[in-house]
Amino acid sequence: MSNTTAAQSGAAFWQVGDEQLARVWSAVRERGSGDPHWPAFDLRLREHVGTLRDELAQLYADRSDFEAFMVELLAQAFAAWRDRDASLKALDERREREPDWFQSEQTLGGVCYVDLFAGDFAGIEASIPYFKELGLTYLHLMPPFKCPEPHSDGGYAVSSYREANPKLGHIDDLRRLAIALRQAGISLVLDFVFNHTADEHEWALAARAGDARYEDFFFIFPDRTEPDRYERTLREIFPDEHPGAFSRLDDGRWVWTTFHSYQWDLNYANPDVFAAMAGEMLFIANLGVEFLRMDAVAFIWKRLGTSCENLPQAHTLLRAYNALARIAAPSLLFKSEAIVHPDDVVRYISPTECQVSYNPLQMALLWNSLATREVNLLQQALEERHALPAGAAWVNYVRSHDDIGWTFADEDAARFGINGFDHRQFLNRFYVNRFTGSFARGVPFQDNPAIGDCRISGTCASLCGLEQGDPHAVARILLMHSIVLSAGGIPLLYLGDEIGMLNDTGYLLDPGKAGDSRWVHRPPRQAARHLERKNPGTDAGRVFQGLRRLIAQRAATPAFSGGHLIGFRSMHPSVLGFTRPTATGGVLVLANFSEHGQTVKAEVLSAMPASAIDLIDGSRHDLRADLSLAPYQMAWLDIRIASG
């Protein structure tokens, strides 16, 4: 076929007259002609290349080499497809047939550090029976790639995306682990740290040495003139680590470092950066990864005179990477990590951007409700901010590896007469035990008295009162997880919380960790406590067995699939309510966020069936009478069942 004929054939699949797209398709086709891997790639290329081109054109179309850039990018994508294992290609086909597979009521996530939980990749593989016992179908391993020591930001300073941290094993060990997890029905989740690299990455080393090509991979300035202009509109993220957003190099130049001085921000205005990181993304996908946690998505595009957060181009970049994945790794899904205003969080979530997203608002408001014994803000969020586009889902969690920040919207709080700034000060005092009567034993993170900002570190158990022996601590732990398990989306457990592990101050003895209080809630796995999970007479046993019952019941309840939720007003300030509706009724969830017994009046339940069975404990409740809830009790009432 001649080039002209090929171009005409290609153009037939898209808008008539789109000569640019036809030329790109034709050039890529020539690269793959005769290759047995080409036909399957070509089918997806034809479907998604228009989207990819349109997104990238918003960023780079004014460059004279834009078409050549597109051709080289897609040639790289075809090379990745050609290298993709046959088992992953089979997975691609299954996922394309069932695009909402991750919304099942049986989906349950866990997250851990490889070394802290199991030592190395082999230890994680040996833990698969435990993951199955718990009910996991999704395992997020915190960044296991090569990183600088001792300052690695918990793995988020990546020195190489193609090498594993040697203390965990070789990259081929990670690939074998992915296979073992997939065979056990567990999807592997890794991070895509694409806002920055470590200053030890080969690109950063070349830039430091004066290589002009790689200097343009980062934001490097000869003096403070440009950094000062940018910083007029930027906020400080880690003021304890370094002021502002830039760090000084030994030669006097300044480099953009939003987070830590050893993490250099990438310059996505340079299309070579997009292409280079696309290669890293597809390499990670071909390891057998099914979800990528898209780290720090709010920060990935910079523009002078703005906050350089949540800019429109950040969304464009994500959509472009998503379109590329649909072509070369179709089963790969993205998980957004955006701990920003709720209005901004939801903008990252859609089938064409990030299919799933952390739910930081729900997480923060769970802790708020626990401290205040009032569910007003959480009830409001579930009713007004929970709904997502079709094909997308929340990742709901009680806490993560990171700190807890109070990300509710001030305007939402104001509707209840709550001053957002003052309320955050209260929550900070409560959770670091500076408030009389607090049950929590958290630790402040990035405490900034100058602006009154602070976030909270601490394990779930320590924040719920188990560290100080509070008699309600276990009930609080189970209550928090019951909401995460029932509200809709993918529930995510930080492994260790399922056995009630406490804060670990041992990190203070490690110079590489002592300055970061988040390590207090990343304790190494305790073998003795792990064994106690089978003993109901221990705290670990009470937490594990209670949580395991909730997980098993969720997996057996189709109403908990998907994300559709309808608020149910209990008319009691301490009792949260919502329904997970189905065609035949569904489940009514009620949760008492108080250490006192509370009552939901019969008239509030008058539209419900006459009686219902609590799926958690099997008890039947007369819904024509007042419904009593014990301290911190949750109920999952099957409202399909009616009698008399």
Side-chain angles (χ1 to χ4, degrees):
M1 181 181 292
S2 69
N3 288 347
T4 301
T5 305
Q8 291 171 344
S9 175
F13 292 99
W14 306 298
Q15 181 180 356
V16 174
D18 195 334
E19 296 179 0
Q20 182 186 67
L21 208 56
R23 288 193 301 269
V24 168
W25 175 84
S26 179
V28 178
R29 181 184 181 280
E30 285 187 8
R31 304 275 186 104
S33 180
D35 190 306
H37 299 278
W38 172 258
F41 180 83
D42 188 34
L43 285 174
R44 297 181 175 98
L45 177 64
R46 297 182 195 199
E47 181 177 356
H48 299 289
V49 71
T51 299
L52 176 63
R53 189 279 311 269
D54 291 348
E55 298 297 347
L56 290 174
Q58 296 181 56
L59 306 176
Y60 310 125
D62 59 346
R63 296 176 60 103
S64 61
D65 61 350
F66 178 66
E67 281 190 34
F69 160 71
M70 282 288 299
V71 171
E72 292 305 316
L73 177 67
L74 289 167
Q76 177 179 236
F78 178 58
W81 173 257
R82 194 172 50 226
D83 292 341
R84 193 161 172 80
D85 187 81
S87 65
L88 292 175
K89 291 179 177 178
L91 179 67
D92 293 333
E93 293 183 3
R94 292 200 303 274
R95 297 297 194 230
E96 286 176 314
R97 289 195 299 269
E98 301 177 52
D100 292 335
W101 65 272
F102 56 89
Q103 307 233 35
S104 166
E105 69 277 9
Q106 297 183 26
T107 301
L108 175 70
V111 56
C112 67
Y113 283 91
V114 173
D115 56 336
L116 295 176
F117 187 83
D120 54 19
F121 296 135
I124 293 291
E125 184 170 353
S127 301
I128 288 176
Y130 175 67
F131 300 148
K132 297 289 287 182
E133 175 189 352
L134 186 55
L136 298 189
T137 64
Y138 160 124
L139 180 63
H140 178 185
L141 300 179
M142 302 301 289
F145 301 109
K146 185 179 179 182
C147 55
E149 294 293 351
H151 301 294
S152 67
D153 190 28
Y156 286 92
V158 178
S159 301
S160 173
Y161 298 88
R162 303 193 181 217
E163 298 176 74
N165 186 328
K167 69 181 180 182
L168 306 180
H170 189 272
I171 197 72
D172 288 335
D173 299 324
L174 179 56
R175 185 177 285 106
R176 284 190 291 272
L177 173 59
I179 293 171
L181 288 168
R182 190 162 63 251
Q183 290 173 342
I186 300 173
S187 299
L188 176 61
V189 185
L190 293 183
D191 288 82
F192 187 42
V193 185
F194 72 128
N195 175 72
H196 49 262
T197 72
D199 60 359
E200 293 184 2
H201 192 283
E202 62 179 354
W203 304 338
L205 293 176
R208 191 190 292 271
D211 186 317
R213 166 174 161 76
Y214 289 105
E215 284 179 327
D216 200 31
F217 269 46
F218 304 96
F219 297 88
I220 299 177
F221 302 102
D223 54 39
R224 284 292 309 181
T225 303
E226 288 303 301
D228 286 344
R229 293 180 69 203
Y230 275 106
E231 285 186 351
R232 290 176 192 143
T233 53
L234 302 181
R235 68 184 175 104
E236 292 182 328
I237 304 301
F238 288 158
D240 288 358
E241 205 276 340
H242 66 84
F246 294 83
S247 297
R248 190 176 187 272
L249 302 179
D250 292 340
D251 60 11
R253 293 181 295 169
W254 292 82
V255 61
W256 199 314
T257 57
T258 294
F259 300 105
H260 296 287
S261 59
Y262 50 84
Q263 292 167 310
W264 291 14
D265 285 44
L266 288 161
N267 175 18
Y268 281 95
N270 177 1
D272 289 348
V273 171
F274 181 92
M277 289 304 293
E280 307 309 285
M281 179 187 78
L282 295 176
F283 175 85
I284 295 170
N286 282 356
L287 291 173
V289 175
E290 298 182 42
F291 287 87
L292 282 180
R293 174 190 178 273
M294 309 299 279
D295 181 58
V297 294
F299 298 90
I300 57 176
W301 192 270
K302 303 354 181 195
R303 189 173 74 238
L304 185 66
T306 73
S307 67
C308 296
E309 295 182 42
N310 303 302
L311 296 180
Q313 294 87 347
H315 297 277
T316 303
L317 282 168
L318 284 166
R319 290 192 298 269
Y321 277 127
N322 191 323
L324 191 64
R326 303 286 70 75
I327 295 169
S331 59
L332 182 69
L333 300 181
F334 291 173
K335 175 170 66 171
S336 166
E337 189 262 346
I339 313 302
V340 290
H341 189 285
D343 288 345
D344 292 316
V345 171
V346 76
R347 294 189 180 108
Y348 291 96
I349 312 169
S350 75
T352 59
E353 197 159 330
C354 293
Q355 295 87 354
V356 302
S357 171
Y358 284 107
N359 194 347
L361 178 62
Q362 184 188 98
M363 181 272 294
L365 295 182
L366 282 168
W367 292 108
N368 171 74
S369 296
L370 213 58
T372 63
R373 284 74 164 178
E374 293 187 348
V375 300
N376 46 9
L377 287 172
L378 181 55
Q379 185 78 44
Q380 176 194 60
L382 289 175
E383 293 177 2
E384 299 180 11
R385 294 190 179 275
H386 181 80
L388 290 177
W394 290 114
V395 175
N396 297 317
Y397 59 112
V398 168
R399 64 107 177 175
S400 70
H401 75 288
D402 227 333
D403 54 278
I404 297 173
W406 308 113
T407 58
F408 58 84
D410 284 357
E411 59 270 28
D412 290 351
R415 288 162 58 184
F416 297 100
I418 298 171
N419 178 283
F421 179 85
D422 292 343
H423 194 59
R424 290 182 180 90
Q425 303 307 300
F426 156 70
L427 291 169
N428 287 331
R429 292 195 304 273
F430 185 93
Y431 279 106
V432 299
N433 193 27
R434 297 174 186 166
F435 187 86
T436 302
S438 172
F439 50 75
R441 295 297 181 265
V443 179
F445 175 68
Q446 293 291 330
D447 199 354
N448 189 339
I451 60 174
D453 190 27
C454 178
R455 281 105 82 190
I456 304 300
S457 298
T459 68
C460 177
S462 288
L463 294 176
C464 284
L466 197 63
E467 187 170 316
Q468 64 150 329
D470 187 291
H472 296 294
V474 171
R476 291 190 189 101
I477 295 169
L478 296 177
L479 173 73
M480 298 281 275
H481 284 93
S482 78
I483 304 304
V484 165
L485 287 162
S486 60
I490 301 174
L492 181 64
L493 311 176
Y494 191 94
L495 295 179
D497 284 353
E498 82 281 7
I499 54 173
M501 289 182 63
L502 305 177
N503 286 346
D504 175 26
T505 58
Y507 79 97
L508 293 169
L509 302 176
D510 183 339
K513 297 177 178 178
D516 186 343
S517 71
R518 292 173 298 179
W519 288 106
V520 80
H521 60 230
R522 304 167 182 171
R525 185 184 187 189
Q526 298 171 356
R529 195 174 187 92
H530 180 73
L531 291 174
E532 287 178 353
R533 75 188 188 281
K534 297 186 177 182
N535 181 352
T538 65
D539 289 337
R542 292 167 63 205
V543 172
F544 182 85
Q545 294 183 27
L547 186 56
R548 187 67 198 94
R549 283 193 295 271
L550 292 173
I551 292 168
Q553 187 55 61
R554 176 184 184 271
T557 306
F560 288 143
S561 66
H564 184 45
L565 174 154
I566 298 175
F568 179 86
R569 298 294 181 95
S570 72
M571 308 309 292
H572 192 291
S574 296
V575 179
L576 183 73
F578 58 88
T579 63
R580 299 300 311 283
T582 67
T584 57
V587 176
L588 169 64
V589 175
L590 297 171
N592 176 13
F593 277 80
S594 164
E595 64 268 52
H596 304 293
Q598 306 294 353
T599 299
V600 178
K601 296 295 186 181
E603 54 264 32
V604 176
L605 301 166
S606 59
M608 295 292 153
S611 68
I613 290 178
D614 186 347
L615 297 174
I616 295 174
D617 63 12
S619 59
R620 181 178 289 274
H621 294 270
D622 179 1
L623 301 187
R624 294 297 172 262
D626 293 349
L627 178 65
S628 296
L629 295 171
Y632 298 110
Q633 183 184 354
M634 57 279 181
W636 292 350
L637 299 176
D638 188 342
I639 53 176
R640 294 172 301 171
I641 299 174
S643 65

